[in-house]
Each structure stands twice: as C-alpha cells, then as structure tokens.
Amino acid sequence: MVRRGTRTAPLLLVLMLVASARAAPDAASEDAPATGIRIELASVFVTDQARALAFYTEVLGFEVARDEPLGAYRWLTVRSPAGVDGVELLLEPDALPAARSFRAAVFEQGIPATTFFVDDLAAEHARLEALGVRFVQ
C-alpha cells in the first residue's frame, strides 16, 4: 500500500514495485506463434483524476498520453517513458457504486491493483520515499 503524506495516494489501492532482470526468452517461447493480441490499455479506479494525474506524473514520472474531456470526467491516460510503446494506464473515475465497492474491497484486502517493474528496487523505493510516498506494506 502506498500513502503520500497522510492521505492514501490515488493509485487505486496498492503499488507494487518489482525488481526485474529482463531475461531473454527461451527457445520454446520464440517458436510459439504470435496471437496478435496485445495490451494497450489497462485501467485503475481513482477518486480524483487531477490528484491521480499529479501522482502518476510528478511522483512516478509517467507522462500524459491522452487527456480528453468526457462529460463530467476526462479520458485520462498516462504511460511510462521507459515502457512499451502504446501501453497506457487509464485513470478511471470511480464514479459508479460498483467501482467504489471494488476499490474499497481490494484496498482492505491489500491486493495490488497494478504492478510496476523497476530495474533497481532499492533506488526506486528511496526515490519515492524522498518524494513523500510512505510504504506501509
């Protein structure tokens, strides 16, 4: 769980940082046929899009991919400058009661909503703590 200051960060619920050594695929996976299916958009429910945007851009270092008005809300996506081209994270308003219930239940159970991979876990942890992110789990 990540908290910034005394308020829960708008990251849906839980931020997991995972150190990753990107190994080359084994021979079996290289021979597997491509499915043509890829992930280009995933979403997290947020209580406040502006606050979530500030967190994802100013703290995590993501960049805005799309920011379009959509009624009372925005179609607001971010992406990692170090990530796969085209993959975006939608900062989805939790305006519907089902979304709020889901968000609350996942938070209470400590289930990660999104997992981010980093090359140096200790360095990223220190960087985020210096920016005021408090890790509680």
Side-chain angles (χ1 to χ4, degrees), residues 16-46:
M16 279 182 69
L17 295 177
V18 179
S20 161
R22 296 198 171 42
D26 60 27
S29 65
E30 289 177 10
D31 295 334
T35 65
I37 298 173
R38 63 190 177 278
I39 297 172
E40 291 198 18
L41 181 72
S43 62
V44 294
F45 292 112
V46 300

Side-chain angles (χ1 to χ4, degrees), residues 11-129:
L11 265 185
L12 179 53
L13 309 171
V14 178
L15 168 69
M16 279 182 69
L17 295 177
V18 179
S20 161
R22 296 198 171 42
D26 60 27
S29 65
E30 289 177 10
D31 295 334
T35 65
I37 298 173
R38 63 190 177 278
I39 297 172
E40 291 198 18
L41 181 72
S43 62
V44 294
F45 292 112
V46 300
T47 56
D48 180 322
Q49 284 186 303
R51 212 171 120 222
L53 179 61
F55 183 82
Y56 277 91
T57 57
E58 296 168 20
V59 175
L60 297 184
F62 288 13
E63 58 191 29
V64 174
R66 301 172 200 275
D67 188 354
E68 303 293 331
L70 190 62
Y73 302 100
R74 297 150 67 183
W75 182 262
L76 182 58
T77 66
V78 294
R79 66 176 160 232
S80 168
V84 177
D85 287 339
V87 178
E88 298 176 17
L89 184 63
L90 174 63
L91 306 179
E92 180 83 41
D94 70 349
L96 298 174
R100 282 189 219 113
S101 296
F102 170 77
R103 200 171 122 328
V106 173
F107 179 81
E108 287 300 318
Q109 294 177 28
I111 299 171
T114 304
T115 302
F116 298 103
F117 287 76
V118 298
D119 292 324
D120 186 336
L121 185 60
E124 190 63 20
H125 182 264
R127 183 186 80 80
L128 292 172
E129 276 191 324

